[in-house]
Amino acid sequence: MRMLLAGLWTRRGMSAAVFLISVIAFTASTLGPLYGRASAEHLLDTRIDERAPYTTGLSSEVQAVGLGDLEAPRQGPFVAPPVDELVATARRAYSDPSSRRSWGPSTAWADDDGGQLIYRTLQFTVPLYWRAGMCDLAAVTGTCPRAKNEVLMQATMADTLHLEAGDTFTLRYFDSYFVPSKSLVGRDLREVQKRRDVRFRLTGTYTVPDPDSPAWFDLSRFTGFDNLVPPPTTGSGGALRTPALLVSPQSLVSQNVRAGVDRPMRTSADDLADLSDVQRAAAAFKAKAIDRAAGNDVEVLPDLDVGSVFAQVRSERTQLSRVMVAALTPLVVLCLLLLFALVSAAAQVRRPQVALAKLRGHSRLQVLWFAVSEPFVVLAVAVPVAVAAAYVTVRVVAHGWLHPGIPVGFDAFTVLSLVVVVGASLLASGLAAMAVIREPLSVALAAGVRPRSSTRAGLVLRSGVVAVAVVAVANLVASGDQSSQLLALLTPTFIALAVAVGGALLLRLLSRGWLARTAERGSVPAYLASRRLARRQDLANLMVPLLLAVAVLTFASSATATSDDWRVSRADTEVGAARSFVTTASPGRLLQVTRQVDPDGRYLMATAVNDEGDDMRRSVFVDGDRLARVAAWDPSWSDQPIEDLQRRLVLDERKRITFTGRDLAVTVRDVALRSATRSGAYLQVQYVDDAGEQRDQLVGRIRNGAGPQVLRTPIEHCRGTCFLEQLYVTGDAVSVTDLEGRMTIASAALDGRDVDWRLTDPGAWRPARPFAVSLVDPPVLVRAGADGLQMRVYLGALPPGKGPQNGAVSGFARVTPSSTPDVAPVLVADGTRTQTARRSGSGIAIEYPASDVVGKGLNGQDTPMRVVDTVRSLPVVGTEGELADLETSLVEFEPPVGALGETRLWVAEGTPDSVLAQVRSKGIGLTNGQTRAATLHALRTDAFSLGLRLFLFVGIATLLLAVFGVLASAVLQSRWRSYEVASLRVVGVSQRALVRGSVLEYVVLLGVAVLLGVLSAYLALRLVLPSISLGTAAEHEPVPVYTTHWLIVLGVGAGLFVLAVGIAVLVSRRITRRGRPSTLRWAEQG
Amino acid sequence: MNAPAPGAVDRRTGVAVRCINVVQIYTTAGGHDVVALRGVNLDIRPGDAVALLGPSGSGKSTLLSLFGGVLRPSAGKILVDGQDISRIRESELGRLRSGKVASLLQGAGRNLLSYATPEENVEFARKALDVASRRRLPSPHELLDRLGMAELAGRPMSSMSGGERQRVAFAAAVSSGAGLLLADEPTSQLSHDDRDVMIELIHRVNREFGTTVVLVTHDPEIAAQMPRSITIRNGRIGSEGRHGFDFGVVDEDGAVHIPDELADRFPAGTLVQFEQTEGGVLLRPVDESGS
């Protein structure tokens, strides 16, 4: 052992190099699986956290009343049992102890639908809710309710209702029960409803600081109208549900009480090894709960999505594993190559000692052990060091990148990976030493160093490398994205190795030509460089590490950039802006408020999203003036700048007709309208008031007659600027009318002053969309003249035309100022299946060019749209749907309340909180806030991104290793090269020429390596990257854009070329310094 | 086998070496064939101490390599201790080298592990022997002591002079108790004193252990100190010196080498006439006419 250690110390440089490389290889082989496992644990926690708690948690609930209870004849309404009894029943579902590990402690809750609250003209359903510990979860102002009929009210709701702590209010309940009755068929049951008014006292108000906290478990139980915001103060009303009142359990006494017990999933309790057990426990719980429910009127139906979450995690883990294997393979391959080279070099140095062992009659096994014992001992020592390094590295990375507390542990795969790489290293070392071991003794004892020549085995290996690369690429090209992902991820390495093989051959050929030229007329440095490159085939081996590293690093950098660009695009698509909120306002109201609060359009943009239709196609309507400044727009979506697109989308406000006043008078004349049903004719006006709300106002009844008729009506909310949207004629009933004829709108006046509504301007007015169906011929024709705007009305029939006509009976004859384009300009995503509008209209009143398409209006109806541009993706819409200007769409297509999907407020980056506070102060609730940054962060920590980070990290490590390998190889070769240099100096070659020659040689060698490495990476990016799944996109999300990041590719190449030049200079100086005439004397002396 | 007489060398420990018509041809890097040995016949008895003398390229080192099994003859046979080593397997050669044949290469460094101590080098040299054989031999320290190198036993090689290293190399070579010692230029690059010490060690091994010694040298003075010296020229045995006297050697073809000191009288191409005399044969040069 002492001798062994002494030998290692004697060759401590080589020993250290072997140690370093083997530590890197072993660390990589251990780190990969450790990181993969930790990342998978992180993904598991993330995916569980992303889901609503009730989809992964255990929850049982019990209804107080079943159908049987109601139908049992009784004299009075059913009285619910106390909440405690219901909770106890619900708790019995948790008798299985296996559920305790993965799910947290249980929390009881109870609620009922509550009663009706009348507030002004509106009626609201006010639910009641109790949750154990609720006053600790909510931010309470006042006291927690303890006695019966004490309540906490949501803070903004209390403000809206002008209620304070101590005030009382009444909720009206209607209890149903059945009593026996006699009927024609015999004895029957008759439903009786009994009204019950309950008085409640307010003990304080509450807000919910963190609605996403799993402690609330299922927010929908008590959040009511759009999550914790107060009901609107205007609108059409209806049965709207407010946020719940928080009560004590004894306040829940209605028939609709239900109670339950919740247990959210504990992410920290489970790790990947437990998934199957957890799934089984969840399934068992669900089955038992359903069993318990059978035969009773008790409902116990947990909504468990555990299997889906775990399936997703397993899929992501597989994806992550593939990326990791692909990332670590080139590093490990490089380590093995370098290890082989270093051990071979060490074996060459020890040739005389191995020969001595043979000379002393050692057996083959003894000679073998003597030759490999030193590298094997180094490898053995490297194992624990590498394992420790990998563990510490993953701990640090987990702390920085992953969820806190993620465990880092060894599993069978980690051990197997390490064993495989250690085995490969031992094999590589053994093979490297074999050349010396098998060498004949006579050759070994001969003086001098023999450079290794190319062997048949090397030729087979090189041919194999090229063949594998060709097959891999061919498979990818043929299979596309159906090919094996692991193969796709490994193919860049195969390509790099194949290019290295070809590059070495090419270099040799080019060097020979270069040598021929420089031998005749070249400079001495060029001649020396070309001569060495042409004659020393083993020099080309120096190319391989650097080429491989350059290829891997360039590919990884560019792939990471492509992947990140895609994720940015997805985040932009998903959120739409830096921040996005769902609001409670109507589109018009939101538009008005955003323009008031942010008149410059720097921060806020009103949007409306429509999901109408079976094809899941979306339409988004935005305040077009602010699109470029507020929306998250990815440059890859369109070749046109967003500012240009914006200009083509929006209304020209200057052209809109505005007015101000309180009393409207419209003069009509030459009225000749007839109706077979004797329906009356009425003129109505539609306008947007100064609060941004759209209003429809009856102006007056129109009577037949040639003379002027003045129709008057008060106008609300037009003390500021109002926008005129439409004038329309209808009958007694909206949906049934058969008015036909003509009339002229002569003039309009507000507060006694004439207003210019452009009634005499030709082209200033046009027929508007019929309400119900937008693509049919409108039932009105207009013509502006000196007398005013003449309307020909065809309600109940169709306007005359050649046909075939696409028409339908309509109840309105609408006209609108031409400042609103009759065909809305729209951006269309390229995944949208569009239908040309021309087929829909008959061209009688409205001619649609072939380029116009059928889109969805704001009210979800089909409407012609003019395609401004086709883009790859749109905010919120994604790859299928349209984007149009909101204001334009509101003019004709304002939906009824509740008909639209949702309105959202998009907020630009850097918007002060005070701006949002102003929006809220105008009564607009903002909920379900999303941020682009959070979405992007989630996307950047998904499986593929986590894997790509490792890929990049490994790429850098591979480069460092390659540089080290080049330096080490150069140092190993420096001995015999110094003899050569010394010989040349003896015959008179100057030191300067020698240095230049050596620098030129290495620059050419390493420069070719860098160039070919970049080329290899480029080939991989073009051929391979499109076949690699960069992640799992949701439906409608944009697909990756595979462009070559030239800046990265060329930047990496240029940087590494500079590095190569630096290495060349460093190595050349060392060689030349050692190559003195005294070196020859020393070599002679052995 | 009878025990030797008192005072006589126990030739039972020595190994005999015999060459029968050995020819050795090798191919140069340029692809040319070179005949290094041209039918060498030689008998070395157990316990002999023989010097192979000759100029560079005469074939003496080649012959030594053939004795050690490092090279295999192109033709002919080489018998070491009665065993034809020219056709045996490499593993058998290895066994031969471990127990019977010891080699001392030219240059001390080539015979030693530079990072090991003299004791460790001796242990290394014996590694191929089985445990029983090793037990029969003196310990490394005892061996070094017997050879007068006890003080060097634990010292690092880097601290030794050239002569000391050569002595340690010698000790390592003979440590296995081999019956045949093949030494290539054992005194090269040594000072006079170290040379004398080296020769003395060789003689001791030959005298005390009966080891057959074959050493290669280009120095006639060294050769003269061996009881027997064989001069090799152009791949053939030219002459042999024994106990201070030089003798020509008649080879298989009947050729005899003219001694160097008489070479001027018989330049190449000279016609000679043989006359048998009472004591031998008279060699007389004649001119082209025959007179």
Side-chain angles (χ1 to χ4, degrees):
Chain A
M1 179 53 74
R2 197 219 74 88
M3 206 166 79
L4 182 66
L5 294 175
L8 285 170
W9 179 252
T10 302
R11 284 169 290 281
R12 52 191 172 274
M14 268 187 203
S15 303
V18 170
F19 177 75
L20 179 66
I21 288 169
S22 48
V23 164
I24 292 172
F26 300 162
T27 302
S29 69
T30 311
L31 183 146
L34 283 179
Y35 175 74
R37 189 183 161 83
S39 297
E41 295 284 359
H42 163 82
L43 289 170
L44 176 64
D45 290 355
T46 303
R47 297 296 169 250
I48 291 174
D49 287 341
E50 280 173 355
R51 303 289 181 113
Y54 56 86
T55 62
T56 55
L58 302 182
S59 175
S60 60
E61 65 181 56
V62 178
Q63 297 275 0
V65 62
L67 189 60
D69 293 319
L70 276 181
E71 288 185 349
R74 59 179 77 249
Q75 294 305 311
F78 171 82
V79 177
V83 166
D84 291 348
E85 286 184 25
L86 298 174
V87 169
T89 304
R91 230 185 256 288
R92 280 200 285 276
Y94 293 100
S95 60
D96 187 345
S98 66
S99 64
R100 285 187 206 124
R101 181 167 167 266
S102 302
W103 287 274
S106 58
T107 306
W109 61 276
D111 69 4
D112 72 27
D113 290 343
Q116 302 298 311
L117 173 69
I118 310 297
Y119 176 69
R120 294 188 182 174
T121 60
L122 300 174
Q123 180 179 302
F124 302 98
T125 302
V126 183
L128 306 183
Y129 186 76
W130 166 78
R131 186 168 183 84
M134 63 188 185
C135 291
D136 297 323
L137 290 175
V140 175
T141 304
T143 58
C144 195
R146 305 237 181 268
K148 187 172 178 176
N149 294 347
E150 286 186 343
V151 301
L152 282 174
M153 184 178 282
Q154 199 263 347
T156 313
M157 180 177 168
D159 284 343
T160 306
L161 300 176
H162 305 292
L163 291 174
E164 294 177 340
D167 289 348
T168 60
F169 60 94
T170 302
L171 294 185
R172 179 159 295 169
Y173 288 76
F174 290 93
D175 300 327
S176 297
Y177 61 99
F178 289 84
V179 296
S181 69
K182 287 183 183 174
S183 69
L184 292 174
V185 297
R187 296 185 70 80
D188 201 353
L189 292 174
R190 175 172 61 90
E191 185 181 2
V192 174
Q193 276 207 339
K194 189 168 182 182
R195 188 179 110 178
R196 174 165 56 103
D197 288 345
V198 179
R199 201 116 185 106
F200 290 91
R201 189 176 76 83
L202 196 65
T203 62
T205 61
Y206 75 89
T207 57
V208 174
D210 181 15
D212 294 328
S213 166
W216 288 111
F217 201 81
D218 184 356
L219 206 63
S220 66
R221 284 182 193 144
F222 77 102
T223 52
F225 190 87
D226 283 333
N227 298 323
L228 305 177
V229 295
T233 54
T234 59
S236 58
L240 303 170
R241 195 165 172 257
T242 71
L245 305 174
L246 299 185
V247 300
S248 59
Q250 56 265 46
S251 301
L252 297 165
V253 295
S254 81
Q255 289 180 326
N256 298 313
V257 172
R258 58 177 182 161
V261 182
D262 300 327
R263 294 177 64 193
M265 183 169 245
R266 290 199 295 195
T267 54
S268 60
D270 295 318
D271 58 27
L272 292 167
D274 302 324
L275 295 188
S276 300
D277 292 339
V278 173
Q279 263 180 280
R280 271 195 292 273
F285 172 81
K286 190 165 181 174
K288 283 182 186 171
I290 291 172
D291 283 346
R292 255 185 223 102
N296 302 327
D297 290 323
V298 171
E299 279 191 37
V300 185
L301 294 173
D303 181 13
L304 293 176
D305 206 13
V306 167
S308 167
V309 175
F310 291 174
Q312 184 184 2
V313 170
R314 288 190 182 102
S315 168
E316 287 187 304
R317 189 185 185 192
T318 302
Q319 191 179 50
L320 182 62
S321 302
R322 287 192 197 121
V323 176
M324 275 193 330
V325 167
L328 294 171
T329 295
L331 180 62
V332 172
V333 165
L334 183 58
C335 285
L336 292 175
L337 287 173
L338 289 176
L339 194 63
F340 183 87
L342 278 174
V343 173
S344 295
Q348 288 294 320
V349 169
R350 296 190 69 209
R351 267 173 86 230
Q353 296 164 7
V354 174
L356 185 62
K358 292 179 191 174
L359 197 66
R360 297 293 179 232
H362 289 196
S363 68
R364 291 186 77 159
L365 207 58
Q366 286 175 322
V367 171
L368 175 65
W369 175 245
F370 180 67
V372 301
S373 56
E374 285 185 10
F376 275 28
V377 164
V378 171
L379 292 175
V381 171
V383 169
V385 173
V387 169
Y391 182 78
V392 167
T393 303
V394 174
R395 285 293 296 243
V396 169
V397 164
H399 182 72
W401 288 354
L402 307 178
H403 275 177
I406 289 289
V408 177
F410 293 86
D411 60 4
F413 185 64
T414 308
V415 173
L416 179 66
S417 173
L418 178 62
V419 165
V420 166
V421 174
V422 170
S425 301
L426 291 172
L427 182 65
S429 303
L431 288 173
M434 205 44 76
V436 167
I437 294 168
R438 297 179 64 176
E439 192 177 39
L441 185 56
S442 56
V443 174
L445 291 177
V449 176
R450 301 267 187 266
R452 289 168 51 229
S453 59
S454 177
T455 64
R456 199 175 305 154
L459 185 63
V460 169
L461 181 65
R462 284 193 290 276
S463 303
V465 165
V466 174
V468 165
V470 169
V471 167
V473 171
N475 178 63
L476 276 177
V477 170
S479 309
D481 56 4
Q482 300 301 313
S483 63
S484 157
Q485 286 299 293
L486 182 58
L487 176 66
L489 288 163
L490 288 173
T491 300
T493 302
F494 297 153
I495 292 176
L497 290 172
V499 168
V501 168
L505 189 64
L506 182 68
L507 183 65
R508 208 152 49 236
L509 292 172
L510 291 175
S511 302
R512 284 181 190 156
W514 189 23
L515 174 62
R517 276 198 298 279
T518 56
E520 289 176 14
R521 55 183 180 276
S523 64
V524 170
Y527 171 72
L528 290 176
S530 61
R531 177 176 167 274
R532 196 165 292 132
L533 287 172
R535 290 188 180 184
R536 292 299 302 262
Q537 296 174 7
D538 57 321
L539 272 182
N541 294 337
L542 276 181
M543 267 178 35
V544 176
L546 193 58
L547 192 155
L548 185 62
V550 169
V552 167
L553 184 59
T554 308
F555 178 82
S557 306
S558 200
T560 301
T562 299
S563 170
D564 197 63
D565 287 347
W566 181 48
R567 279 157 173 77
V568 168
S569 179
R570 286 169 65 191
D572 290 342
T573 300
E574 189 169 328
V575 183
R579 275 190 289 176
S580 167
F581 295 92
V582 174
T583 78
T584 55
S586 64
R589 175 68 181 147
L590 184 62
L591 186 69
Q592 183 76 7
V593 166
T594 53
R595 289 181 174 183
Q596 286 173 352
V597 171
D598 176 29
D600 296 332
R602 283 192 298 165
Y603 303 120
L604 308 174
M605 181 162 71
T607 72
V609 180
N610 204 350
D611 282 323
E612 291 291 313
D614 295 332
D615 58 358
M616 299 303 293
R617 177 171 149 180
R618 268 184 170 180
S619 304
V620 66
F621 302 88
V622 302
D623 187 356
D625 275 330
R626 300 157 180 236
L627 183 64
R629 270 181 288 184
V630 177
W633 185 267
D634 195 281
S636 68
W637 292 348
S638 173
D639 299 328
Q640 306 286 330
I642 180 60
E643 290 79 7
D644 287 350
L645 298 174
Q646 171 183 302
R647 260 195 301 278
R648 290 147 71 185
L649 277 176
V650 302
L651 272 180
D652 188 346
E653 289 262 320
R654 294 169 299 177
K655 294 183 185 172
R656 298 187 76 186
I657 295 175
T658 61
F659 62 90
T660 304
R662 288 189 297 178
D663 294 303
L664 173 66
V666 177
T667 304
V668 299
R669 64 191 309 135
D670 293 330
V671 179
L673 297 169
R674 55 189 177 279
S675 163
T677 58
R678 298 186 184 174
S679 171
Y682 298 85
L683 180 68
Q684 301 210 53
V685 61
Q686 181 181 307
Y687 64 96
V688 175
D689 68 17
D690 56 14
E693 297 283 358
Q694 190 179 66
R695 293 179 179 274
D696 286 85
Q697 182 66 37
L698 174 67
V699 183
R701 183 165 183 168
I702 307 167
R703 298 185 192 284
N704 284 336
Q709 302 172 45
V710 180
L711 309 176
R712 297 178 195 280
T713 184
I715 290 290
E716 289 186 347
H717 301 287
C718 273
R719 294 190 182 181
T721 302
C722 284
F723 293 93
L724 179 63
E725 289 195 337
Q726 290 184 1
L727 293 169
Y728 56 100
V729 176
T730 187
D732 287 330
V734 166
S735 60
V736 179
T737 181
D738 58 352
L739 279 174
E740 289 189 33
R742 68 175 192 279
M743 59 174 277
T744 300
I745 303 174
S747 64
L750 271 148
D751 297 341
R753 293 187 301 278
D754 283 343
V755 288
D756 180 15
W757 280 12
R758 304 179 200 151
L759 298 169
T760 58
D761 292 348
W765 287 81
R766 64 169 176 84
R769 302 267 161 258
F771 175 74
V773 182
S774 302
L775 286 163
V776 301
D777 293 331
V780 62
L781 300 174
V782 293
R783 185 166 62 89
D787 294 337
L789 185 68
Q790 188 184 79
M791 294 173 60
R792 303 283 296 184
V793 179
Y794 297 93
L795 288 171
L798 292 173
K802 296 174 192 171
Q805 288 181 301
N806 194 5
V809 173
S810 172
F812 298 88
R814 294 176 177 268
V815 295
T816 189
S818 298
S819 55
T820 303
D822 61 335
V823 180
V826 69
L827 291 175
V828 173
D830 61 7
T832 311
R833 290 185 300 277
T834 56
Q835 177 188 340
T836 181
R838 193 163 206 181
R839 292 187 191 139
S840 303
S842 66
I844 292 174
I846 298 173
E847 184 81 31
Y848 304 122
S851 57
D852 286 353
V853 299
V854 177
K856 292 290 182 187
L858 193 57
N859 58 0
Q861 300 300 321
D862 288 347
T863 185
M865 291 188 166
R866 185 152 297 146
V867 179
V868 166
D869 199 9
T870 303
V871 297
R872 292 184 192 93
S873 184
L874 289 165
V876 170
V877 168
T879 57
E880 198 171 345
E882 306 107 12
L883 181 145
D885 179 56
L886 178 61
E887 190 170 28
T888 306
S889 303
L890 277 171
V891 173
E892 290 186 276
F893 303 109
E894 169 121 17
V897 171
L900 186 67
E902 60 187 15
T903 52
R904 297 188 189 184
L905 177 66
W906 287 1
V907 181
E909 193 73 50
T911 299
D913 289 341
S914 58
V915 172
L916 296 178
Q918 287 183 60
V919 172
R920 289 192 177 98
S921 71
K922 291 188 180 294
I924 295 186
L926 303 177
T927 62
N928 289 359
Q930 275 184 291
T931 67
R932 181 178 169 278
T935 303
L936 189 56
H937 175 76
L939 291 172
R940 282 176 171 160
T941 52
D942 67 6
F944 194 85
S945 295
L946 291 174
L948 264 189
R949 281 190 208 183
L950 184 69
F951 213 137
L952 201 56
F953 178 71
V954 167
I956 294 170
T958 307
L959 178 67
L960 293 175
L961 187 62
V963 169
F964 172 77
V966 168
L967 289 172
S969 297
V971 167
L972 289 173
Q973 292 177 356
S974 66
R975 187 176 177 182
W976 64 262
R977 293 199 58 168
S978 61
Y979 299 153
E980 194 177 49
V981 167
S983 304
L984 289 169
R985 288 180 77 169
V986 165
V987 300
V989 179
S990 71
Q991 182 171 358
R992 197 172 178 183
L994 290 169
V995 170
R996 285 184 176 177
S998 183
V999 169
L1000 185 59
E1001 175 198 335
Y1002 274 99
V1003 166
V1004 168
L1005 190 64
L1006 301 180
V1008 167
V1010 170
L1011 188 66
L1012 291 180
V1014 170
L1015 175 66
S1016 169
Y1018 177 73
L1019 285 174
L1021 289 169
R1022 296 290 297 186
L1023 296 173
V1024 178
L1025 190 59
S1027 301
I1028 295 176
S1029 167
L1030 298 182
T1032 306
E1035 203 172 350
H1036 301 309
E1037 279 190 340
V1039 294
V1041 175
Y1042 297 102
T1043 57
T1044 303
H1045 291 79
W1046 286 111
L1047 198 61
I1048 291 176
V1049 171
L1050 296 178
V1052 171
L1056 295 179
F1057 183 78
V1058 169
L1059 179 65
V1061 169
I1063 294 172
V1065 170
L1066 191 70
V1067 169
S1068 302
R1069 282 190 178 161
R1070 181 191 161 93
I1071 290 169
T1072 316
R1073 250 202 317 271
R1074 288 189 64 169
R1076 288 190 288 272
S1078 57
T1079 309
L1080 292 175
R1081 204 177 310 130
W1082 179 75
E1084 185 66 26
Q1085 289 171 357
Chain B
M1 193 172 185
N2 296 330
V9 172
D10 183 356
R11 295 191 188 278
R12 286 178 297 181
T13 60
V15 161
V17 182
R18 193 173 175 206
C19 293
I20 303 172
N21 286 332
V22 170
V23 175
Q24 184 68 14
I25 303 171
Y26 66 88
T27 307
T28 64
H32 305 295
D33 286 342
V34 174
V35 183
L37 296 172
R38 301 166 189 270
V40 171
N41 289 281
L42 184 58
D43 255 323
I44 300 174
R45 293 175 303 170
D48 275 359
V50 179
L52 298 179
L53 180 66
S56 285
S58 58
K60 55 187 189 298
S61 295
T62 303
L63 191 59
L64 204 71
S65 297
L66 287 167
F67 289 166
V70 176
L71 292 173
R72 294 193 188 257
S74 304
K77 287 184 186 177
I78 295 183
L79 303 173
V80 173
D81 201 21
Q83 184 181 14
D84 181 3
I85 66 169
S86 45
R87 304 284 179 258
I88 61 174
R89 289 199 300 266
E90 193 60 38
S91 55
E92 291 183 54
L93 272 177
R95 278 193 288 276
L96 198 74
R97 291 190 206 115
S98 66
K100 284 189 181 173
V101 179
S103 294
L104 180 65
L105 302 172
Q106 183 176 3
R110 297 173 72 199
N111 296 281
L112 298 169
L113 299 176
S114 58
Y115 51 87
T117 62
E119 265 191 72
E120 289 167 344
N121 269 286
V122 169
E123 279 174 16
F124 179 75
R126 289 177 172 180
K127 211 174 177 79
L129 296 175
D130 56 50
V131 174
S133 300
R134 262 185 267 163
R135 281 209 188 110
R136 282 198 287 273
L137 296 169
S139 70
H141 196 275
E142 284 173 1
L143 175 67
L144 291 169
D145 186 36
R146 284 170 75 169
L147 294 177
M149 290 180 252
E151 76 282 3
L152 301 177
R155 276 174 56 185
M157 289 293 171
S158 56
S159 68
M160 296 183 193
S161 66
E164 288 171 334
R165 279 203 288 269
Q166 185 68 353
R167 284 156 58 197
V168 171
F170 178 83
V174 300
S175 63
S176 62
L180 174 64
L181 173 64
L182 306 171
D184 192 353
E185 301 281 3
T187 60
S188 73
Q189 298 185 1
L190 295 182
S191 65
H192 277 287
D193 291 339
D194 287 333
R195 200 173 5 173
D196 292 340
V197 169
M198 199 66 225
I199 295 298
E200 177 52 32
L201 280 173
I202 291 171
H203 282 312
R204 270 183 70 182
V205 155
N206 178 247
R207 270 199 316 270
E208 291 180 21
F209 304 119
T211 305
T212 308
V213 176
V214 179
L215 68 83
V216 160
T217 183
H218 66 276
D219 187 346
E221 285 184 27
I222 299 297
Q225 295 186 51
M226 292 290 117
R228 183 179 171 191
S229 70
I230 296 169
T231 305
I232 298 180
R233 282 197 204 94
N234 295 325
R236 293 177 196 273
I237 293 180
S239 62
E240 188 168 327
R242 297 189 187 201
H243 304 292
F245 294 97
D246 285 333
F247 303 95
V249 177
V250 179
D251 68 15
E252 281 263 319
D253 300 328
V256 175
H257 281 256
I258 303 293
D260 287 338
E261 61 271 21
L262 300 177
D264 289 342
R265 292 186 70 178
F266 297 93
T270 303
L271 293 176
V272 293
Q273 204 171 27
F274 294 91
E275 285 182 16
Q276 195 166 3
T277 63
E278 221 177 277
V281 173
L282 178 67
L283 195 68
R284 193 152 51 89
V286 295
D287 58 23
E288 287 197 10
S289 64
S291 57

